[in-house]
């Protein structure tokens, strides 16, 4: 938002070859969303569409856009035949990606703000992030992703001493269990449960199973690679850990926390120049 970077620069920052860009205009309860899928290399428009909807319908629009993008990318990148409709496979793929999301637009917005704040790794931001997540759950107590992020926030806050250890662990465990009770196949839920098992139960086999299940459900999930990286590092498999951390950074290149974890691992491995570069990027 409000950037002066061109598409090539943005593509480089995000480590991607294709970008979805667009605009949103709001008038009362109505919104107009104009979106286009663009190749970074030459600016070629693979697809574009305009949506006129109400705010109540905003999450349905998000799914419509996601389905169209998946369909177009399959054609452009995988050479699949163009499909004028939306196949059951595409719908299922988008549904898996939206697993655990709230259908309440306000809860969705609050949860996204909470996730953003806890990625910033400062005490005040964590406090604000936990507040946003609790607001989201007050609006929709069935928001599984918000429960998973709340668990992640309490784990980190307890680890840094920003809240009492016993209270933080108990809150994190409860939130992780709530997330998985609502959505048993939620990758983020398995990741945070793995962290509870790894850091506080010393149940490394249980943690391995949690991370294995998370990666099985969502191979591209960055937080899953973070957890698996921590486990590999604890067991002395540093090359594997560094590979997992680097792949997590590739998948989420704007995450300060991802670079911070990579920097710590490089420090432990004695790769000081790499550690400094990761820490400076995180800052």
């Amino acid at each position: 938002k409000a950037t002066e970077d061109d598409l090539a620069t943005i593509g480089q920052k995000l480590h991607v070859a294709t970008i979805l860009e667009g605009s949103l205009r709001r008038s009362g309860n109505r919104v107009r969303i104009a979106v286009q899928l663009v190749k970074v290399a030459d600016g070629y428009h693979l697809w574009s569409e305009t949506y006129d909807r109400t705010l109540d319908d905003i999450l349905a629009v998000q799914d419509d856009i996601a389905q169209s993008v998946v369909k177009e990318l399959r054609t452009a990148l995988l050479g699949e035949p163009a499909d004028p409709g939306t196949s059951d496979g595409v719908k299922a793929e988008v549904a898996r990606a939206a697993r655990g999301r709230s259908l309440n637009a306000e809860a969705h917005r609050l949860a996204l703000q909470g996730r953003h704040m806890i990625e910033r790794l400062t005490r005040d931001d964590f406090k604000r992030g936990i507040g946003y997540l609790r607001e989201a759950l007050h609006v929709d107590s069935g928001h599984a992703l918000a429960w998973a992020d709340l668990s992640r926030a309490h784990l980190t806050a307890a680890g840094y001493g920003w809240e009492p250890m016993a209270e933080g662990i108990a809150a994190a465990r409860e939130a992780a269990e709530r997330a998985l009770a609502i959505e048993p196949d939620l990758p983020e839920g398995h990741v945070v449960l793995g962290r509870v098992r790894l850091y506080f139960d010393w149940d490394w086999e249980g943690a391995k199973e949690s991370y294995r299940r998370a990666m099985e459900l969502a191979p591209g999930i960055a937080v899953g690679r973070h957890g698996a990286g921590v486990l590999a590092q604890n067991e002395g498999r540093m090359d594997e850990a560094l590979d997992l951390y680097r792949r997590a950074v590739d998948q989420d290149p704007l995450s300060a926390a991802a670079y911070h974890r990579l920097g710590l691992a490089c420090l432990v491995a004695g790769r000081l120049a790499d550690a400094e570069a990761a820490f400076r990027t995180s800052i």
Side-chain angles (χ1 to χ4, degrees), residues 13-282:
K13 287 182 178 180
L14 295 175
H15 305 171
V16 297
T18 314
I19 286 178
L20 182 74
E21 65 170 357
S23 62
L24 184 148
R25 293 184 181 182
R26 176 177 174 179
S27 178
N29 194 45
R30 296 202 64 82
V31 291
R32 168 169 286 187
I33 302 171
V35 289
Q36 47 272 338
L37 188 66
V38 185
K39 287 179 67 176
V40 170
D42 55 14
Y44 178 75
H45 281 55
L46 297 169
W47 167 82
S48 63
E49 188 62 79
T50 299
Y51 299 84
D52 288 296
R53 302 288 180 86
T54 66
L55 283 175
D56 298 333
D57 202 26
I58 197 72
L59 293 176
V61 176
Q62 178 172 294
D63 289 348
D64 287 348
I65 293 170
Q67 289 170 6
S68 295
V69 168
V70 170
K71 185 176 66 175
E72 295 299 326
L73 287 178
R74 282 182 166 187
T75 300
L77 303 181
L78 303 180
E80 295 187 2
D83 180 2
T86 303
S87 69
D88 291 340
V90 169
K91 290 180 180 178
E93 194 170 337
V94 171
R96 283 194 298 271
R99 190 186 283 132
R101 185 190 68 191
S102 175
L103 296 178
N104 182 290
E106 178 64 5
H108 183 61
R109 180 187 69 80
L110 288 164
L112 288 177
Q113 287 187 281
R115 175 176 291 185
H116 173 71
M117 298 310 296
I118 66 173
E119 282 288 326
R120 293 170 62 88
L121 290 181
T122 73
R123 185 171 189 159
D124 288 344
D125 286 331
F126 256 76
K127 184 176 180 180
R128 292 176 63 193
I130 289 173
Y132 279 128
L133 291 167
R134 292 203 175 279
E135 283 187 64
L137 290 165
H138 179 74
V139 175
D140 180 5
S141 62
H143 192 337
L145 271 173
W147 281 113
D149 280 332
L150 184 61
S151 176
R152 183 158 61 103
H154 280 301
L155 280 171
T156 304
Y160 278 114
W162 295 337
E163 60 186 37
M165 180 68 74
E167 291 178 21
I169 297 167
R173 190 187 307 275
E174 179 188 4
E177 290 172 350
R178 289 287 295 270
L180 290 171
I182 295 165
E183 179 50 76
D185 288 338
L186 182 70
E188 292 87 349
H190 288 285
V191 168
V192 289
L193 182 59
R195 288 183 66 184
V196 172
R197 289 170 167 174
L198 174 64
Y199 287 122
F200 303 110
D201 295 343
W202 292 88
D203 177 10
W204 288 13
E205 291 304 314
K208 283 181 183 178
E209 175 57 26
S210 292
Y211 294 137
R212 184 201 64 77
R213 183 58 177 150
M215 302 288 280
E216 179 181 83
L217 290 166
I221 187 171
V223 290
R225 298 201 187 283
H226 293 162
V230 171
L231 190 58
Q233 183 175 335
N234 284 4
E235 293 184 335
R237 294 178 279 117
M238 285 307 303
D239 287 343
E240 181 182 343
L242 288 168
D243 178 64
L244 285 162
Y245 288 134
R246 289 192 179 103
R247 290 165 71 183
V249 165
D250 285 340
Q251 289 166 333
D252 193 4
L254 299 185
S255 169
Y259 280 102
H260 177 245
R261 294 185 188 98
L262 175 60
L264 288 174
C266 289
L267 192 63
V268 170
R271 303 184 184 186
L272 303 188
D274 291 340
E276 180 181 4
F279 286 138
R280 288 191 182 279
T281 302
S282 179

